[in-house]
Structures are given as structure tokens and as C-alpha cells.
Amino acid sequence: MAKLQLDRILVVDVESTCWDGPPPDGMVSEIIEIGVCTLDPATGDRAGRRSVLVRPERSEVSDFCTELTTLTAGQVADGVPFADACALLRDEYRAHRRVWGSWGNYDRDQFARQCAATDVPYPFGTRHLNIKTLYSLSHALGRELGMAGALEHAGLPLEGTHHRGADDAWNIAALLGGLLTAGR
């Protein structure tokens, strides 16, 4: 097992193909964008955001999905294959050696499902933070908030476009950074 690096936390948010109802016959939900923001856990500072567009192989971008994410079929058609996106996470971000987090478990579960279905090595290590639950527990809310609701609760602006991976990762990292530095 690779040695854990605690110098940065990777905050990840994915957008996936989606429909207004169940997937059409023969299609499955698959990742079309991976948003990444690195966070310095000592300072809570965010260091850049990145959007990796991923070309779907087993589904198409629906009109509903474009309305939700602003991503079009043409944009993601120019994306990288899923295996290349996972390799980028491992090689450039050392995702297998770092703690990573997402807003809820959807992103972790979607990576696990898609990696298993496509025989692509899972890019992350075993240290995942469910930032949605952590935020709600830290504030004794009694229920989990959506990301936009948590930003409002924290008095932070929603920067960028909601339901775009890089922008959501940036906003989630701001929430996590606040949690990590609040008690210091």
C-alpha cells in the first residue's frame, strides 16, 4: 500500500449522464465530468480547480442532463476516456495516496461502479471524507444539507455554476476548509 500523504486533500465532484426518470434501454449513468480542487488542510486554502471532461461510452447526454449541468453532448464527445481520467487522478494528483472527499457518497460510489463495470483501476485510496455528513455533524444540524444550502448556512457565496464539477469541487472545498480551520 502506498504511503498516505496528508499535505493536500483532493475535493472531487463528478457530473454524470442523467435523465428525467430511469435511463433509456441500454444506457447507464456514467461520469462525464470530474471536478477537482486541492485543499491545504493546515490553512484551509484552496489551490485551483480543474475540470476533466470524460467521453461517455455507454450512454448519451440527454437534454435534461444539459439543462442540469450545462454540459452538451458535443463538449463531452471531446473529453478523455474514463480510463485516462482515472490515470490522470493517480498520476497528477496522486489520488491513491491522498485523502479525498466529496459531498456525500454519490461520487465515491459512482467511481466504484464505473471502475468495476469497465475494468478500470480505482484511482483513489481508502481514505474518503463524506463532507456532507461531516458538515452537518460539525454544526449539529440534525439533517444533511445540500451543497447550496450548506453554503448559505455558512454565509459563503456559490461561486461558478452549480452542477459543474470544477465549480462544485471549489465550493465544497471552501466548506471543508472552514470546518478544518474553525477550531484553531
Side-chain angles (χ1 to χ4, degrees):
M1 178 176 213
K3 183 178 177 180
L4 186 64
Q5 291 180 299
L6 298 174
D7 61 329
R8 296 277 181 264
I9 297 172
L10 300 180
V11 178
V12 175
D13 184 79
V14 301
E15 303 303 329
S16 300
T17 52
C18 54
W19 303 268
D20 189 12
D25 288 343
M27 291 194 197
V28 296
S29 181
E30 58 186 326
I31 295 170
I32 56 174
E33 182 185 23
I34 303 168
V36 182
C37 178
T38 57
L39 178 73
D40 182 330
T43 64
D45 291 338
R46 298 171 287 177
R49 59 184 132 182
R50 183 173 185 181
S51 170
V52 179
L53 295 182
V54 180
R55 184 172 53 246
E57 298 172 4
R58 301 172 298 142
S59 65
E60 296 175 2
V61 175
S62 68
D63 290 341
F64 172 82
C65 189
T66 296
E67 288 175 28
L68 181 66
T69 66
T70 73
L71 291 167
T72 66
Q75 287 172 304
V76 299
D78 292 334
V80 299
F82 178 67
D84 291 354
C86 288
L88 179 147
L89 290 169
R90 283 189 306 275
D91 297 343
E92 291 187 33
Y93 290 96
R94 291 176 270 175
H96 61 296
R97 299 180 68 184
R98 288 201 162 100
V99 174
W100 73 287
S102 61
W103 196 258
N105 285 321
Y106 174 81
D107 306 82
R108 180 178 56 96
D109 293 344
Q110 182 64 27
F111 266 103
R113 276 190 301 271
Q114 194 162 338
C115 286
T118 59
D119 205 26
V120 170
Y122 187 70
F124 301 103
T126 58
R127 303 296 202 296
H128 174 260
L129 298 175
N130 180 332
I131 302 165
K132 181 179 188 177
T133 300
L134 183 62
Y135 184 88
S136 297
L137 289 170
S138 295
H139 291 281
L141 297 178
R143 66 179 181 88
E144 294 179 326
L145 300 175
M147 184 201 72
L151 288 168
E152 184 177 326
H153 180 265
L156 297 172
L158 194 157
E159 297 181 52
T161 302
H162 193 19
H163 298 299
R164 280 303 304 265
D167 293 339
D168 284 355
W170 179 259
N171 287 304
I172 295 164
L175 291 164
L176 179 58
L179 292 175
L180 292 175
T181 60
R184 294 187 190 155

